[in-house]
Coordinates of all heavy atoms in Angstrom, one line a residue:
L164 N 96.2 -29.1 19.0 CA 97.3 -28.2 19.5 C 98.1 -28.8 20.6 O 99.0 -28.1 21.2 CB 96.6 -26.9 20.0 CG 95.9 -26.0 19.0 CD1 95.0 -25.1 19.6 CD2 96.9 -25.3 18.1
L165 N 97.9 -30.0 20.9 CA 98.5 -30.7 22.0 C 100.0 -30.6 22.0 O 100.6 -30.2 23.0 CB 98.0 -32.1 22.2 CG 98.5 -32.9 23.4 CD1 98.3 -32.1 24.7 CD2 97.8 -34.2 23.5
E166 N 100.6 -31.0 20.9 CA 102.1 -31.0 20.9 C 102.6 -29.6 21.1 O 103.6 -29.4 21.9 CB 102.5 -31.4 19.5 CG 103.3 -32.7 19.6 CD 103.7 -33.2 18.2 OE1 104.7 -32.7 17.6 OE2 103.0 -34.1 17.7
E167 N 102.0 -28.6 20.5 CA 102.5 -27.2 20.6 C 102.3 -26.7 22.0 O 103.3 -26.2 22.6 CB 101.6 -26.4 19.6 CG 102.1 -24.9 19.6 CD 101.2 -24.1 18.6 OE1 101.0 -24.6 17.5 OE2 100.8 -23.0 19.0
V168 N 101.1 -26.9 22.6 CA 100.9 -26.3 23.9 C 101.8 -27.1 25.0 O 102.3 -26.5 25.9 CB 99.4 -26.4 24.3 CG1 99.2 -25.9 25.7 CG2 98.6 -25.5 23.4
Y169 N 101.9 -28.4 24.8 CA 102.7 -29.2 25.7 C 104.2 -28.6 25.8 O 104.7 -28.6 26.8 CB 102.8 -30.6 25.2 CG 103.7 -31.5 26.0 CD1 103.2 -32.2 27.1 CD2 105.0 -31.7 25.7 CE1 104.0 -33.0 27.9 CE2 105.8 -32.5 26.4 CZ 105.3 -33.2 27.5 OH 106.2 -33.9 28.3
E170 N 104.7 -28.2 24.6 CA 106.1 -27.8 24.6 C 106.3 -26.5 25.5 O 107.3 -26.3 26.1 CB 106.4 -27.5 23.1 CG 107.9 -27.2 23.0 CD 108.3 -26.8 21.6 OE1 107.5 -27.2 20.6 OE2 109.3 -26.1 21.4
Y171 N 105.2 -25.6 25.5 CA 105.4 -24.4 26.2 C 104.8 -24.3 27.6 O 105.2 -23.4 28.4 CB 104.8 -23.2 25.4 CG 105.5 -23.0 24.1 CD1 105.2 -23.7 22.9 CD2 106.6 -22.1 24.0 CE1 106.0 -23.5 21.7 CE2 107.3 -21.9 22.9 CZ 107.0 -22.6 21.7 OH 107.7 -22.4 20.6
A172 N 103.9 -25.2 27.9 CA 103.2 -25.2 29.2 C 103.8 -26.0 30.3 O 104.5 -27.0 29.9 CB 101.7 -25.6 29.0
D173 N 103.6 -25.6 31.5 CA 104.0 -26.5 32.6 C 102.7 -27.2 33.2 O 102.8 -28.3 33.7 CB 104.7 -25.7 33.7 CG 106.0 -25.2 33.2 OD1 106.8 -25.9 32.7 OD2 106.2 -23.9 33.3
I174 N 101.6 -26.5 33.1 CA 100.3 -27.1 33.4 C 99.4 -26.7 32.3 O 99.3 -25.6 31.8 CB 99.8 -26.4 34.7 CG1 100.7 -26.8 35.9 CG2 98.3 -26.9 35.0 CD1 100.1 -26.3 37.3
L175 N 98.7 -27.8 31.8 CA 97.8 -27.6 30.7 C 96.3 -27.4 31.2 O 95.9 -28.3 32.0 CB 97.8 -28.8 29.7 CG 99.1 -28.9 28.8 CD1 100.2 -29.5 29.6 CD2 98.8 -29.7 27.6
Q176 N 95.8 -26.3 30.9 CA 94.4 -26.0 31.4 C 93.3 -26.5 30.4 O 93.4 -26.2 29.2 CB 94.3 -24.5 31.6 CG 92.9 -24.0 32.0 CD 92.9 -22.5 32.2 OE1 93.8 -21.9 32.8 NE2 91.8 -21.8 31.8
V177 N 92.4 -27.2 31.0 CA 91.2 -27.6 30.2 C 90.1 -26.6 30.6 O 89.7 -26.6 31.8 CB 90.7 -29.0 30.4 CG1 89.5 -29.4 29.7 CG2 91.8 -30.0 30.0
G178 N 89.6 -25.8 29.7 CA 88.6 -24.8 30.0 C 87.2 -25.4 30.2 O 87.0 -26.6 29.9
S179 N 86.4 -24.6 30.8 CA 85.0 -25.0 31.2 C 84.3 -25.6 30.0 O 83.6 -26.6 30.1 CB 84.3 -23.8 31.7 OG 83.1 -24.1 32.2
R180 N 84.5 -25.0 28.8 CA 83.7 -25.5 27.6 C 84.2 -26.8 27.1 O 83.6 -27.4 26.3 CB 83.9 -24.4 26.5 CG 83.1 -23.1 26.9 CD 83.7 -21.9 26.2 NE 83.1 -20.7 26.7 CZ 83.5 -20.1 27.8 NH1 84.5 -20.6 28.5 NH2 83.0 -19.0 28.2
N181 N 85.4 -27.2 27.6 CA 86.0 -28.4 27.1 C 86.0 -29.6 28.1 O 86.5 -30.7 27.8 CB 87.4 -28.2 26.7 CG 87.6 -28.1 25.2 OD1 86.9 -28.7 24.4 ND2 88.5 -27.2 24.8
M182 N 85.3 -29.3 29.3 CA 85.3 -30.4 30.3 C 84.7 -31.7 29.8 O 85.0 -32.8 30.2 CB 84.6 -29.9 31.6 CG 84.9 -30.8 32.8 SD 83.5 -30.9 33.9 CE 82.4 -32.0 33.1
H183 N 83.8 -31.5 28.8 CA 83.1 -32.7 28.3 C 83.8 -33.2 27.0 O 83.2 -34.0 26.3 CB 81.7 -32.4 28.0 CG 80.9 -32.1 29.3 ND1 80.4 -33.1 30.1 CD2 80.4 -30.9 29.7 CE1 79.8 -32.5 31.1 NE2 79.7 -31.2 30.9
N184 N 84.9 -32.6 26.6 CA 85.6 -33.0 25.4 C 86.4 -34.3 25.6 O 87.6 -34.3 26.0 CB 86.5 -31.9 24.9 CG 87.1 -32.2 23.6 OD1 87.2 -33.3 23.1 ND2 87.6 -31.1 22.9
F185 N 85.7 -35.4 25.5 CA 86.3 -36.7 25.9 C 87.5 -37.1 25.1 O 88.4 -37.7 25.7 CB 85.2 -37.8 26.0 CG 84.1 -37.4 26.9 CD1 82.8 -37.3 26.4 CD2 84.3 -37.2 28.2 CE1 81.7 -37.0 27.3 CE2 83.3 -36.8 29.1 CZ 82.0 -36.7 28.6
S186 N 87.6 -36.8 23.9 CA 88.8 -37.2 23.1 C 90.0 -36.3 23.6 O 91.1 -36.9 23.7 CB 88.6 -37.1 21.6 OG 88.0 -35.9 21.3
L187 N 89.7 -35.1 24.0 CA 90.8 -34.3 24.5 C 91.3 -34.8 25.9 O 92.4 -35.0 26.1 CB 90.4 -32.8 24.6 CG 91.4 -31.8 25.3 CD1 92.6 -31.7 24.4 CD2 90.8 -30.4 25.5
L188 N 90.3 -35.2 26.7 CA 90.6 -35.7 28.0 C 91.4 -37.0 27.9 O 92.4 -37.2 28.6 CB 89.4 -36.0 28.8 CG 88.5 -34.7 29.1 CD1 87.2 -35.1 29.8 CD2 89.2 -33.7 29.9
D189 N 91.0 -37.8 26.9 CA 91.7 -39.1 26.7 C 93.2 -38.8 26.3 O 94.1 -39.4 26.8 CB 91.1 -39.8 25.5 CG 90.1 -40.9 26.0 OD1 90.2 -41.3 27.1 OD2 89.2 -41.3 25.2
A190 N 93.4 -37.8 25.4 CA 94.7 -37.5 25.0 C 95.5 -36.9 26.1 O 96.7 -37.2 26.3 CB 94.6 -36.4 23.9
L191 N 94.9 -36.2 27.0 CA 95.7 -35.6 28.2 C 96.0 -36.7 29.2 O 96.9 -36.5 30.0 CB 94.9 -34.5 28.8 CG 94.7 -33.3 27.9 CD1 93.7 -32.2 28.5 CD2 96.0 -32.6 27.5
G192 N 95.3 -37.8 29.1 CA 95.7 -38.9 30.0 C 97.0 -39.5 29.7 O 97.7 -40.2 30.5
K193 N 97.5 -39.2 28.4 CA 98.8 -39.8 28.0 C 99.9 -38.8 28.2 O 101.1 -39.1 27.9 CB 98.7 -40.1 26.5 CG 97.6 -41.1 26.1 CD 98.1 -42.5 26.4 CE 97.0 -43.6 26.4 NZ 96.5 -44.0 27.7
V194 N 99.6 -37.6 28.7 CA 100.6 -36.6 28.9 C 101.3 -36.7 30.3 O 100.6 -37.1 31.2 CB 99.8 -35.2 28.7 CG1 100.6 -34.1 29.3 CG2 99.5 -35.0 27.2
D195 N 102.5 -36.3 30.3 CA 103.2 -36.4 31.6 C 103.3 -35.0 32.3 O 104.2 -34.8 33.1 CB 104.6 -37.0 31.5 CG 105.5 -36.3 30.6 OD1 105.1 -35.2 30.1 OD2 106.6 -36.7 30.3
K196 N 102.4 -34.1 32.0 CA 102.4 -32.8 32.7 C 101.0 -32.7 33.4 O 100.0 -33.3 32.9 CB 102.6 -31.7 31.7 CG 104.0 -31.6 31.2 CD 104.3 -30.3 30.3 CE 105.7 -30.3 29.9 NZ 106.0 -29.2 29.0
P197 N 101.0 -31.8 34.5 CA 99.7 -31.7 35.2 C 98.6 -31.1 34.3 O 98.9 -30.2 33.4 CB 100.0 -30.8 36.3 CG 101.5 -30.9 36.5 CD 102.1 -31.1 35.1
I198 N 97.4 -31.4 34.6 CA 96.2 -30.9 33.9 C 95.3 -30.2 34.9 O 95.0 -30.7 35.9 CB 95.4 -32.0 33.2 CG1 96.2 -33.0 32.4 CG2 94.2 -31.5 32.4 CD1 97.0 -32.4 31.3
L199 N 95.0 -28.9 34.6 CA 94.1 -28.1 35.4 C 92.7 -28.2 34.7 O 92.5 -27.7 33.7 CB 94.6 -26.7 35.4 CG 94.0 -25.7 36.4 CD1 94.9 -24.6 36.7 CD2 92.6 -25.2 35.9
L200 N 91.9 -29.0 35.4 CA 90.6 -29.3 34.8 C 89.5 -28.4 35.4 O 89.1 -28.6 36.5 CB 90.2 -30.8 35.1 CG 88.9 -31.3 34.5 CD1 88.9 -31.2 33.0 CD2 88.7 -32.7 35.0
K201 N 89.1 -27.5 34.6 CA 88.0 -26.6 35.1 C 86.6 -27.3 35.1 O 86.4 -28.2 34.2 CB 88.0 -25.3 34.2 CG 89.1 -24.4 34.5 CD 88.8 -23.0 34.0 CE 89.7 -22.0 34.6 NZ 89.2 -20.7 34.3
R202 N 85.8 -26.9 36.0 CA 84.4 -27.4 36.0 C 83.6 -26.9 34.8 O 83.6 -25.7 34.6 CB 83.8 -27.0 37.3 CG 82.4 -27.6 37.5 CD 81.8 -27.1 38.8 NE 80.5 -27.8 39.1 CZ 79.9 -27.7 40.2 NH1 80.4 -26.9 41.2 NH2 78.8 -28.3 40.4
G203 N 82.9 -27.8 34.1 CA 82.0 -27.3 33.1 C 81.0 -26.4 33.7 O 80.6 -26.6 34.8
M204 N 80.6 -25.4 32.9 CA 79.7 -24.4 33.5 C 78.3 -24.9 33.9 O 77.6 -24.3 34.6 CB 79.6 -23.2 32.6 CG 79.0 -23.4 31.2 SD 79.1 -21.9 30.3 CE 80.8 -21.8 29.8
H205 N 78.0 -26.1 33.4 CA 76.7 -26.8 33.8 C 77.0 -28.2 34.3 O 76.2 -29.1 34.1 CB 75.7 -26.7 32.7 CG 76.2 -27.1 31.4 ND1 76.3 -28.5 31.1 CD2 76.6 -26.4 30.3 CE1 76.8 -28.5 29.8 NE2 77.0 -27.3 29.4
A206 N 78.2 -28.4 34.8 CA 78.6 -29.8 35.1 C 78.3 -30.1 36.6 O 78.5 -29.3 37.5 CB 80.1 -30.0 34.9
R207 N 77.7 -31.3 36.8 CA 77.5 -31.8 38.1 C 78.9 -32.3 38.6 O 79.8 -32.7 37.8 CB 76.5 -32.9 38.1 CG 75.1 -32.4 37.8 CD 74.1 -33.5 38.0 NE 72.8 -32.9 38.0 CZ 71.7 -33.5 37.6 NH1 71.7 -34.8 37.2 NH2 70.5 -32.9 37.6
V208 N 79.0 -32.5 40.0 CA 80.2 -32.9 40.5 C 80.6 -34.3 40.0 O 81.8 -34.6 39.7 CB 80.1 -32.9 42.1 CG1 81.3 -33.6 42.7 CG2 80.0 -31.5 42.6
N209 N 79.6 -35.2 39.9 CA 79.9 -36.5 39.3 C 80.5 -36.4 37.9 O 81.4 -37.2 37.6 CB 78.5 -37.3 39.2 CG 78.4 -38.4 40.3 OD1 79.3 -38.4 41.2 ND2 77.4 -39.2 40.1
E210 N 79.9 -35.6 37.1 CA 80.4 -35.5 35.7 C 81.8 -34.9 35.7 O 82.6 -35.3 34.9 CB 79.4 -34.5 34.9 CG 78.1 -35.1 34.8 CD 77.0 -34.1 34.3 OE1 77.2 -32.9 34.6 OE2 76.1 -34.5 33.6

Side-chain angles (χ1 to χ4, degrees):
L164 296 164
L165 183 51
E166 244 177 79
E167 184 181 314
V168 174
Y169 176 87
E170 191 184 335
Y171 293 89
D173 296 306
I174 295 183
L175 289 81
Q176 175 177 321
V177 175
S179 187
R180 293 154 189 82
N181 259 325
M182 192 211 82
H183 296 282
N184 184 340
F185 301 120
S186 46
L187 177 63
L188 300 176
D189 265 338
L191 294 173
K193 301 279 168 257
V194 161
D195 61 2
K196 288 187 178 177
I198 311 301
L199 190 158
L200 180 64
K201 287 203 164 190
R202 181 182 189 172
M204 58 186 80
H205 48 80
R207 292 188 167 152
V208 170
N209 252 12
E210 294 165 331

